[in-house]
Amino acid sequence: MMTTEKPVYDISKLLSKIESTYRSRTPKSGALYKVARSLMPGGVSHNARFFTPYPFFEKRARGQHLWDIDGNRYTDYWMGHTALILGHSPAIVRAELRKQIPNGLLPGTASENSFGLARLVSEIVPCAEGVRFCTTGAEATMYAVRLARAFTRRNQIIKMAGGWHGFNSSLTYGVHAPFEASESAGLIPEEKERVKLAPFNKIDETTNLIMDNAKDLAGVIVEPVMGGGVLPADKKYLQTLRNLCSEVGAVLIFDEVITGFRLALGGAQEYYGINPDLCTLGKIMGGGLPSSAIVGKKEIMILADPSVNRPKDERAWIGGGTFSEHALAMCSGRVTLEYLKKNRKSVYGSLEREGDEVRRSLNKEFEKRGIRSTTTGATSLFGTHFLSDHQNEISSQEALIESRRELELPYFLYLMAIKGIFILPGHISAISAVHTKFDISQLVRATGDFADFLVETQ
Ligand SMILES: Cc1ncc(COP(=O)(O)O)c(C=O)c1O
């Protein structure tokens, strides 16, 4: 990557040009957004779905494409928050849902469907000696913390500064910079005392933090590829966490809500060859429908067994969700995992190649125009960052904060408004098994055009 004087871009001029195209292409979305805002705070129910000036409203999705209510088509790299590894509404999922619908939606009792998915998950995920389904990732990570505390009879949890595990109150700390400040009004300050923040990928500082808290440390939770920033963990870092947790008797939790069935069939634990004690799963496992799971070592998972009569303070009561083991989600998850298992070589081989191609080519497009950037990620996950003068790479949250984040919205909005490519501004992107070579080359060309546009408005 070249070192040049930091170019000065007129961001508001850049944005106003792109925004006016976006507004003119999405008038129905603009009008609907005004009404949606009056019904739902911010017009959305997931914060990430809002971006300025307003999000387009989706009408239809199939394969790698989304269509909005104004008739624009987008090649989608957000892919349902990265959940849709087989694309939108794949035929195998549609067929399975059609079979199940007449036979019930929410059994509310033990069901063969969930047994089928649990068996697959335990075959595929290396650490999964026991499986418990729930409905969202936030629920799964909350349960992981509870299980870790129950098993160790300790209180402290270490998470990564910048780590995201869903919006449960056990882990909504240190997600956005400045990390020490509260993430939200309404959180209990005393709970924050029980959650310490480790600097991701920094072995020495993390080792010191773990050793300083060893006595009361229940668990360490980490995303093997940090979703915010799309930062892969160094293998050495994960191995250090593994060794230290074993040494001090703490539970190592991999939050594989994104990386599960994504980095490899067996997730990050297979990809890195390092097993956690507990792991949380979601997204891909639902095959496009809402479900999540907490899986892990038998000796920990049995604390959740309701058939064993334990004193109240010796059990870990998890698994209270009305919609857990929803029949449709169990079916869509099962056919998705069956497909991935049967086609693991071809699917994961091509996802890895395409991810490498995207990272290499996007870097090249910016570099050719003297724009300092890096596209990070692992296998099919990627995210583009603009480098500050003194930076050559982004491998930590600190580096991410120091990068030129002001250029991200113009880039992603340009792709959306002018090129029909949907990357949710500032968020992780995921290639699916249905993206084609043409799609990838379209993204590369569009990025080159944006780089030209950026240089012109300098
Ligand atoms: C790593 C990670 N953990 C947990 C969650 C929360 O999952 P959910 O949105 O299903 O609650 C997410 C969601 O994006 C995530 O990326």
Side-chain angles (χ1 to χ4, degrees):
M1 266 150 264
M2 322 173 48
T3 311
T4 55
E5 277 285 289
K6 179 178 172 176
V8 180
Y9 303 110
D10 186 339
I11 301 292
S12 56
K13 193 166 134 201
L14 266 175
L15 268 176
S16 78
K17 273 191 186 175
I18 304 167
E19 266 188 36
S20 67
T21 309
Y22 182 72
R23 285 179 193 280
S24 69
R25 290 190 63 177
T26 57
K28 286 187 188 163
S29 283
L32 189 53
Y33 183 68
K34 283 194 187 127
V35 185
R37 265 188 82 86
S38 67
L39 287 172
M40 296 182 276
V44 289
S45 288
H46 190 303
N47 299 341
R49 294 179 192 159
F50 170 76
F51 54 86
T52 53
Y54 53 81
F56 64 80
F57 282 70
E58 177 259 10
K59 187 177 179 73
R60 194 166 91 75
R62 186 58 75 86
Q64 72 275 49
H65 294 123
L66 278 173
W67 286 262
D68 69 16
I69 56 173
D70 288 285
N72 300 300
R73 191 185 83 166
Y74 303 87
T75 304
D76 183 13
Y77 289 95
W78 176 229
M79 293 311 285
H81 299 232
T82 76
L84 306 174
I85 198 166
L86 300 182
H88 290 278
S89 287
I92 52 167
V93 170
R94 295 200 308 275
E96 196 65 19
L97 296 183
R98 271 197 297 271
K99 270 198 264 166
Q100 179 58 38
I101 287 170
N103 294 322
L105 302 179
L106 180 61
T109 182
S111 142
E112 218 178 353
N113 279 324
S114 39
F115 170 73
L117 182 58
R119 193 164 54 185
L120 256 180
V121 169
S122 73
E123 278 168 22
I124 289 173
V125 180
C127 80
E129 295 169 7
V131 179
R132 254 307 173 90
F133 291 115
C134 31
T135 310
T136 69
E139 199 185 352
T141 56
M142 174 182 75
Y143 288 154
V145 166
R146 190 177 301 166
L147 273 168
R149 285 180 172 146
F151 181 70
T152 57
R153 310 212 139 243
R154 298 173 181 171
N155 296 306
Q156 284 291 347
I157 294 292
I158 289 180
K159 74 177 278 291
M160 301 298 132
W164 168 243
H165 306 288
F167 253 155
N168 67 62
S169 296
S170 306
L171 290 163
T172 303
Y173 301 103
V175 179
H176 303 99
F179 298 124
E180 291 308 326
S182 176
E183 285 294 323
S184 168
L187 293 170
I188 308 289
E190 289 76 15
E191 203 165 339
K192 183 167 180 247
E193 299 302 310
R194 305 295 194 182
V195 181
K196 296 271 182 333
L197 302 178
F200 183 66
N201 268 346
K202 303 247 160 109
I203 290 182
D204 293 345
E205 289 99 315
T206 303
T207 302
N208 291 340
L209 186 71
I210 290 177
M211 296 319 286
D212 288 349
N213 288 276
K215 245 176 126 184
D216 195 33
L217 187 61
V220 176
I221 184 164
V222 62
E223 297 161 79
V225 174
M226 217 186 238
V230 204
L231 307 176
D234 294 334
K235 184 169 180 178
K236 255 177 137 178
Y237 186 73
L238 288 185
Q239 190 62 59
T240 303
L241 296 182
R242 175 62 283 170
N243 297 345
L244 288 170
C245 282
S246 301
E247 186 183 329
V248 306
V251 173
L252 178 62
I253 306 162
F254 280 3
D255 180 352
E256 294 227 48
V257 168
I258 289 181
T259 55
F261 316 104
R262 165 67 67 183
L263 288 200
L265 181 64
Q269 45 203 283
E270 178 186 318
Y271 179 79
Y272 284 99
I274 296 169
N275 279 7
D277 302 306
L278 288 178
C279 162
T280 51
L281 299 165
K283 298 198 194 269
I284 290 175
M285 195 193 70
L289 275 84
S291 83
S292 64
I294 167 139
V295 307
K297 281 191 174 158
K298 209 165 214 111
E299 71 223 59
I300 306 176
M301 296 298 292
I302 51 168
L303 295 180
D305 183 347
S307 69
V308 178
N309 202 4
R310 293 175 206 277
K312 239 174 155 182
D313 68 345
E314 285 179 20
R315 68 191 188 190
W317 241 207
I318 66 168
T322 298
F323 292 105
S324 55
E325 303 179 277
H326 193 283
L328 297 187
M330 295 295 104
C331 289
S332 55
R334 178 173 46 73
V335 290
T336 299
L337 297 196
E338 276 167 358
Y339 180 91
L340 292 172
K341 191 174 170 212
K342 200 160 153 217
N343 298 284
R344 69 189 297 176
K345 266 206 170 128
S346 59
V347 169
Y348 292 99
S350 82
L351 286 178
E352 177 134 25
R353 276 192 301 280
E354 283 167 359
D356 287 344
E357 166 72 14
V358 164
R359 283 181 287 277
R360 200 174 35 246
S361 301
L362 298 192
N363 283 343
K364 219 154 130 198
E365 291 302 313
F366 284 117
E367 194 177 337
K368 272 197 268 180
R369 279 99 174 164
I371 297 163
R372 306 189 71 247
S373 80
T374 181
T375 297
T376 57
T379 70
S380 52
L381 300 170
F382 68 95
T384 295
H385 315 284
F386 296 93
L387 297 168
S388 294
D389 280 353
H390 62 282
Q391 294 184 308
N392 285 314
E393 60 165 23
I394 306 274
S395 60
S396 66
Q397 284 293 321
E398 290 77 0
L400 189 66
I401 292 162
E402 288 167 16
S403 70
R404 304 189 67 185
R405 303 215 71 170
E406 73 278 11
L407 289 173
E408 292 177 13
L409 183 61
Y411 174 41
F412 300 125
L413 205 57
Y414 177 95
L415 291 182
M416 220 182 297
I418 294 163
K419 300 293 178 178
I421 294 173
F422 181 47
I423 289 181
L424 190 68
H427 289 271
I428 192 165
S429 291
I431 302 166
S432 77
V434 293
H435 283 95
T436 62
K437 282 198 170 70
F438 175 79
D439 295 322
I440 305 292
S441 63
Q442 181 202 34
L443 172 63
V444 173
R445 275 197 311 278
T447 296
D449 290 347
F450 169 74
D452 286 336
F453 175 72
L454 197 54
V455 170
E456 280 160 24
T457 44
Q458 210 168 298

